[in-house]
Amino acid sequence: MTRTLPARVDVAIVGSGPCGAAYARVLSEQCPDATIAVFEVGPLLADPPGTHVKNIVDPDERARAQRRSEGPAPLPAGTPTDTNEGYATEAPRLVRPGTFLLASGYRQPGQDGLPGAAMSSNVGGMGAHWTGACPRPGGRERIGFLPELDDLLAEGERLLSVDAHAFDDAPFAGEVRKRLSGALDDERAEDRRVAPMPLAVVRHDDGRVTWSGSDVVFGEPTRANPRFTLVPEALVTEVVVADGRARGVRVRDLQDGGEHVVAARFVVVAADALRTPQLLWASGVRPRALGRWLNDQPQTVYAVRLRDVDTGPEADVDPREQPRIVAQSGVSWVPYTDEDPFHGQVMQLDASPVPLADADEPEPGTIVGLGWFCAKDLQESDRVEFSDTETDPYGMPAMRIHYRLTEADSASIAAARDAVRRAAAALGEPLDDRDPLTFPPGASLHYQGTVRMGETDDGTSVCSPTSRVWDVAGLYVAGNGVIPTPIACNPTLTAVALAVGGARDIAAALTPEEN
């Protein structure tokens, strides 16, 4: 079978993750006459497009969706698809269901590299697999040259359906936050104290909670837009640039192998922090900062069993058998501060991540996992490079990662390990005698900086404060790679907020062309 790709659109968007979806949504709302096409290299997993896999009720269908997200070489069919299974392991190359590791080039001799560097290929991108945490940045995490940042963050929260109170009725959430607050909140500003984690979730009237994926960001305004087209299994191999302006995209239809050029007035590259600079490089768009300032968040995890809590009567429904988040789950937030430059995510777990000596699994919610993310010591030399001769499994320029942890990073990781121990001691008892586990670089999946935003075109950034690529009119970049600051918090909300700013910039320019 063949399909017809559009010959010309007003806006071509590469990538269907939350940031690509944000461009499509804002433009559908503000420019209803504009034609928009989103091209996604991966397959459509479910209906509506971009659905989070955890919202797929049937476990076999959910497993198939995760396998189909794993790029050119999916994991074997018998590989577990439970995202918590094996999560807290010391594997040197940690891989999670629904993602695939960078096969080669992830570490250079004498460097730390990013052995955990991973991606997803599917409609919805990593937004079909993420944890939904949407904290706002603070202190040095914030982008100082964006005076409208709070407005953009608020719009990002609207698009993602962020709710800070979805789990207020979790059995032990209040006690967890009370204990954390007592141990950590002294001398913190009011907006940086322990709080419920803002989450991209929807709580339904019947008590169910579903995760927000790109489907929520697209929303009905996009899905009902007759001028919007989503094209899955379509690899964009080039942004066509002529006379200093983006003119469209070259697309390889992975269903039939056909090659197409789709003309466009504006092009948005919203792949991920590794594949967005890859496409620009392949297109001959190579500013000095492209791929540089690569930022991953060192991550330390620990787990405890809550002490001195009344578990109450046994629940009627075992949450471990449910595909959706349930009321037993709760997530607390320890915000980043400049004095304590870590971001803490404290999750009540429905089951223990490690085998326990007890004969019976503990009450759901009494096992608490703590994850501390560090702000990276940003270096221009940390970068992803691309080959002019070698290709990856998609036929795009092969990646080569250069990445080192500095002395400051090592000190930050050590401090984070101490901080997570202190937080854990306030909550309960360790599950075993192991120390906090620090994941290998890249395991956070929070890569940033490779197409970073800058206030001026001084050679240290790729794009302007509205996400337009310097010196290439009509070309915009989106995703975590645009974030220029060393943030420790989960980056999706900030990335979507920056996408909103870029989409508004395009909307302001989308006036009818003169004949």
Side-chain angles (χ1 to χ4, degrees):
M1 296 180 64
T2 60
R3 54 180 174 171
T4 302
L5 273 64
R8 180 178 179 82
V9 295
D10 290 306
V11 185
I13 302 170
V14 184
S16 63
C19 292
Y23 270 86
R25 170 73 170 272
V26 172
L27 291 169
S28 292
E29 290 178 336
Q30 297 191 8
C31 303
D33 292 331
T35 51
I36 305 164
V38 172
F39 300 95
E40 169 58 55
V41 68
L44 179 66
L45 302 180
D47 188 44
T51 296
H52 197 295
V53 297
K54 285 196 175 182
N55 297 333
I56 301 174
V57 176
D58 181 81
D60 293 333
E61 188 61 31
R62 187 164 64 250
R64 283 192 291 272
Q66 288 172 311
R67 286 288 92 91
R68 296 183 69 210
S69 303
E70 293 170 354
L75 296 172
T79 306
T81 56
D82 181 349
T83 54
N84 284 325
E85 185 165 340
Y87 184 87
T89 68
E90 299 184 29
R93 301 200 69 204
L94 186 63
V95 62
R96 300 186 182 93
T99 72
F100 59 99
L101 292 169
L102 184 61
S104 62
Y106 54 85
R107 181 191 292 122
Q108 306 312 309
Q111 300 182 9
D112 298 286
L114 291 181
M119 297 161 276
S120 291
S121 288
N122 53 269
V123 172
M126 200 68 80
H129 311 280
W130 69 317
T131 63
C134 287
R136 286 196 178 198
R140 286 193 292 269
E141 292 182 308
R142 292 175 60 86
I143 304 169
F145 57 80
L146 284 183
E148 70 277 22
L149 179 60
D150 286 324
D151 170 64
L152 296 175
L153 289 167
E155 180 66 355
E157 289 165 343
R158 178 183 77 91
L159 297 183
L160 289 161
S161 292
V162 174
D163 184 354
H165 301 287
F167 297 132
D168 281 354
D169 59 351
F172 313 116
E175 184 63 25
V176 166
R177 285 194 285 275
K178 177 182 176 181
R179 296 181 186 185
L180 288 171
S181 296
L184 304 176
D185 275 352
D186 285 351
E187 301 182 0
R188 283 177 172 257
E190 186 173 351
D191 67 341
R192 295 282 102 186
R193 293 174 182 166
V194 173
M197 175 67 78
L199 293 167
V201 297
V202 175
R203 188 73 178 263
H204 302 280
D205 292 341
D206 61 3
R208 292 181 303 111
V209 180
T210 56
W211 300 61
S212 295
S214 289
D215 61 324
V216 172
V217 182
F218 280 126
E220 283 306 311
T222 307
R223 287 190 289 272
N225 181 358
R227 297 175 180 270
F228 168 74
T229 304
L230 171 64
V231 188
E233 297 179 82
L235 172 67
V236 175
T237 60
E238 179 188 359
V239 177
V240 179
V241 178
D243 301 323
R245 183 175 185 89
R247 302 291 181 178
V249 292
R250 189 178 304 276
V251 184
R252 181 180 306 143
D253 189 333
L254 299 184
Q255 292 187 359
D256 62 15
E259 298 277 345
H260 307 265
V261 173
V262 179
R265 295 174 60 188
F266 297 90
V267 174
V268 180
V269 183
D272 55 39
L274 298 178
R275 287 180 284 186
T276 291
Q278 180 190 50
L279 178 55
L280 265 60
W281 177 272
S283 307
V285 179
R286 302 178 179 182
R288 171 177 170 75
L290 185 71
R292 295 179 179 270
W293 305 98
L294 174 59
N295 175 18
D296 173 52
Q297 298 170 341
Q299 181 183 4
T300 292
V301 297
Y302 204 38
V304 298
R305 188 170 186 170
L306 288 176
R307 72 168 74 88
D308 301 329
V309 293
D310 181 9
T311 59
E314 185 175 349
D316 293 335
V317 178
D318 187 341
R320 286 161 287 180
E321 298 176 356
Q322 304 302 304
R324 297 176 174 87
I325 304 177
V326 292
Q328 280 78 4
S329 303
V331 186
S332 297
W333 174 31
V334 181
Y336 166 100
T337 68
D338 290 340
E339 295 72 30
D340 291 303
F342 325 114
H343 160 76
Q345 184 169 314
V346 183
M347 302 179 65
Q348 292 170 247
L349 304 180
D350 296 334
S352 172
V354 299
L356 298 177
D358 305 52
D360 298 322
E361 186 73 27
E363 178 79 9
T366 59
I367 300 296
V368 177
L370 302 94
W372 255 236
F373 296 85
C374 301
K376 179 73 171 71
D377 179 22
L378 298 185
Q379 304 291 315
E380 184 181 18
S381 57
D382 291 330
R383 64 196 187 276
V384 53
E385 292 182 339
F386 306 100
S387 174
D388 283 322
T389 57
E390 300 175 8
T391 58
D392 67 11
Y394 285 112
M396 298 296 288
M399 302 180 193
R400 185 176 295 111
I401 303 290
H402 293 266
Y403 196 81
R404 290 185 174 91
L405 296 173
T406 67
E407 290 185 5
D409 290 325
S410 297
S412 179
I413 293 169
R417 290 167 65 88
D418 289 340
V420 81
R421 285 190 186 96
R422 291 195 301 273
L427 296 176
E429 308 304 330
L431 299 187
D432 55 30
D433 58 0
R434 290 186 295 180
D435 289 331
L437 172 64
T438 299
F439 284 152
S444 78
L445 307 180
H446 293 170
Y447 324 124
Q448 304 156 50
T450 53
V451 286
R452 71 202 305 247
M453 177 181 287
E455 186 172 16
T456 60
D457 184 10
D458 60 3
T460 66
S461 62
V462 171
C463 67
S464 74
T466 57
S467 299
R468 184 179 69 80
V469 174
W470 299 116
D471 297 330
V472 184
L475 177 58
Y476 290 72
V477 285
N480 294 345
V482 175
I483 299 171
T485 53
I487 69 172
C489 69
N490 310 68
T492 301
L493 172 63
T494 301
V496 168
L498 301 182
V500 169
R504 288 175 175 175
D505 196 57
I506 293 177
L510 268 177
T511 55
E513 292 180 312
E514 296 181 2
N515 294 326

